[in-house]
Amino acid sequence: MRVRTSSVLAASLVLALAAGPLAAPAFAAPSTATAGPHRPDAPDVPDAKALRAALAMVPGEDATAALVRVGHRDADWHGTAGVRDLDSGRPARPDALFRAGSVTKVVTAATVLRLAAQGDIDLDAPVQGYLPGLFTPAFDKPISVRNLLNHTSGIKAGDGLGDDFAELYAHRFDTLTPRRDVASAIVKGPEFDPGDRQHYLNVNYTILGFLIEKVTGRSYAAEATRLVLRPAGMRHTYFPGTDPRIRGPHNRGYQAVERPGGTTELLDVTEWNQADRWAAGDMISTTADLERLLTRLFRGRIVPEPQLEEMFTTPPNLPDATRSAGLEYKKVGDQVFWGKSGSRYGYSALVGGTRDLSRTLVYSVNSTDAKDAEPDPVLDAITAAALK
């Protein structure tokens, strides 16, 4: 099992499912779509025909459900396809909660930047000073808070509960605490000097979660809710902690697993303890909530200037870097899209748009191999249709 590399708004985002018949029956649940009003003389944007064609691929071997929201200055489009679960074959819920994965990092970065705007955090200060005792003497170079935000810290990845899906699935109800995960990373020593490279890793945002708790004296979830979720109007978003369930209406997630004889079984992976992902990736949300986050964040209603500029600034000494504080960018034609993708087993998510919000895209797709690094035809079709 190859681990997914996060790439926002890219043409290739997810998986190539191994060939072989599905053990579960295929359900041809109808897709639904709605379009908002637009000027009579405006072109047909978003491209409703292409978006409907993308959703017509669901359910299938690559995804069991899909929720899509596309915004344009002249129109908006919402679509739903697939099934709520394979057993019943009921149509997917458009209001479903889902695991947002690394989209959580947008909220974590915004929380840190809000605290920086209040004077509680200095982005240029060494995190070693904020969190004494966390690092070993091997980390003798100062790691700034900004290094954590833009993934230039040089800290290596921590150890998980397994190296492949089978091992991880066997431990899906176990708790790997963020402290234990970070400790396993710190003991390895630095990978490179802070600022020398950009290496995207969850450990950076887990440590930012520690920083938020240290400077506020309150839990990460409480501060992220107070400083970001509430101002964004994200009423249905929450952080599950060690609870393996998705509380509220949701479409179930499945992982394709190859079995002897060339068959492929879709294994239900909806319940999963995500405690180790924490401030880096355990958030549960809805497409409507993520759209609210995107629009209010980009309009400066959550993080004020000049701190908001951190979210649209990549390290100036690294010309090939594409990641900023919580976001990353992708050039499509003459436009630049900023956003964040995320995946947990059974769920792929994305939120992004142009900085002026003239085009936005939010989706949740119940991918059947969400952690694979190969391109996925469903996600490719959705992004291509949304951004053309």
Side-chain angles (χ1 to χ4, degrees):
M1 180 70 62
R2 288 161 291 185
V3 177
R4 165 179 300 286
T5 55
S6 176
S7 179
V8 68
L9 300 174
S12 299
L13 291 173
V14 197
L15 62 102
L17 185 64
L22 297 179
F27 293 98
S31 62
T32 61
T34 60
H38 61 279
R39 298 196 324 265
D41 60 338
D44 186 18
V45 288
D47 190 334
K49 182 177 180 181
L51 288 165
R52 290 192 183 96
L55 290 189
M57 302 167 69
V58 182
E61 65 176 6
D62 299 301
T64 58
L67 316 176
V68 179
R69 302 173 76 93
V70 180
H72 188 276
R73 61 166 54 96
D74 296 313
D76 59 81
W77 190 93
H78 302 163
T80 304
V83 295
R84 196 174 309 178
D85 62 88
L86 292 179
D87 289 335
S88 71
R90 293 174 296 172
R93 295 190 59 135
D95 61 343
L97 289 103
F98 54 85
R99 301 194 187 280
S102 286
V103 175
T104 309
K105 293 181 177 68
V106 181
V107 172
T108 301
T111 303
V112 170
L113 294 174
R114 280 288 303 270
L115 291 170
Q118 296 172 187
D120 296 321
I121 290 176
D122 180 352
L123 300 183
D124 293 313
V127 70
Q128 290 99 323
Y130 284 110
L131 301 169
L134 180 65
F135 293 88
T136 66
F139 291 87
D140 56 350
K141 304 287 178 60
I143 300 170
S144 71
V145 175
R146 185 177 284 107
N147 289 145
L148 294 174
L149 284 167
N150 63 24
H151 299 280
T152 59
S153 69
I155 304 169
K156 294 180 181 178
D159 297 331
L161 291 172
D163 295 325
D164 57 24
F165 172 75
E167 287 184 288
L168 293 168
Y169 182 76
H171 293 285
R172 68 192 182 281
F173 296 125
D174 296 347
T175 297
L176 174 59
T177 67
R179 289 282 174 185
R180 180 180 160 196
D181 182 50
V182 170
S184 70
I186 296 298
V187 74
K188 299 175 184 178
E191 179 183 9
F192 52 84
D193 286 346
D196 281 1
R197 290 169 47 194
Q198 188 171 72
H199 187 185
Y200 175 81
L201 289 173
N202 287 324
V203 66
N204 294 298
Y205 276 68
T206 305
I207 294 173
L208 287 173
F210 297 160
L211 174 64
I212 291 166
E213 294 192 335
K214 183 62 179 291
V215 301
T216 66
R218 292 178 288 272
S219 73
Y220 163 78
E223 284 302 282
T225 299
R226 180 178 72 88
L227 294 175
V228 179
L229 301 192
R230 286 176 186 165
M234 301 170 72
R235 297 183 300 275
H236 303 290
T237 301
Y238 72 98
F239 306 96
T242 59
D243 188 349
R245 302 167 298 168
I246 298 177
R247 302 195 300 268
H250 58 277
N251 303 318
R252 300 195 72 81
Y254 298 88
Q255 169 67 26
V257 178
E258 293 184 40
R259 297 302 189 194
T263 61
T264 301
E265 176 186 0
L266 290 181
L267 195 62
D268 193 321
V269 292
T270 308
E271 278 75 45
W272 201 300
N273 183 341
Q274 307 284 335
D276 61 314
R277 300 300 87 182
W278 196 47
D282 81 339
M283 187 171 72
I284 290 174
S285 191
T286 67
T287 54
D289 271 8
L290 292 185
E291 190 173 61
R292 293 185 188 99
L293 172 66
L294 178 71
T295 56
R296 297 183 187 184
L297 180 64
F298 281 25
R299 287 172 178 159
R301 296 179 182 175
I302 299 173
V303 176
E305 291 288 0
Q307 288 74 25
L308 180 60
E309 196 62 28
E310 296 285 340
M311 304 194 82
F312 301 99
T313 303
T314 56
N317 63 311
L318 300 175
D320 294 329
T322 60
R323 299 181 187 278
S324 60
L327 301 175
E328 60 178 312
Y329 76 88
K330 177 73 177 181
K331 291 183 179 179
V332 180
D334 60 353
Q335 299 187 92
V336 177
F337 291 86
W338 291 89
K340 189 71 190 76
S341 59
S343 62
R344 303 306 302 150
Y345 284 112
Y347 299 90
S348 297
L350 181 140
V351 56
T354 56
R355 187 169 181 180
D356 64 0
L357 297 172
S358 59
R359 183 66 62 91
T360 63
L361 170 62
V362 177
Y363 67 60
S364 168
V365 176
N366 291 56
S367 301
T368 55
D369 201 354
K371 300 299 289 184
D372 190 36
E374 295 296 323
D376 169 79
V378 174
L379 301 190
D380 286 355
I382 291 171
T383 53
L387 304 183
K388 65 187 299 184

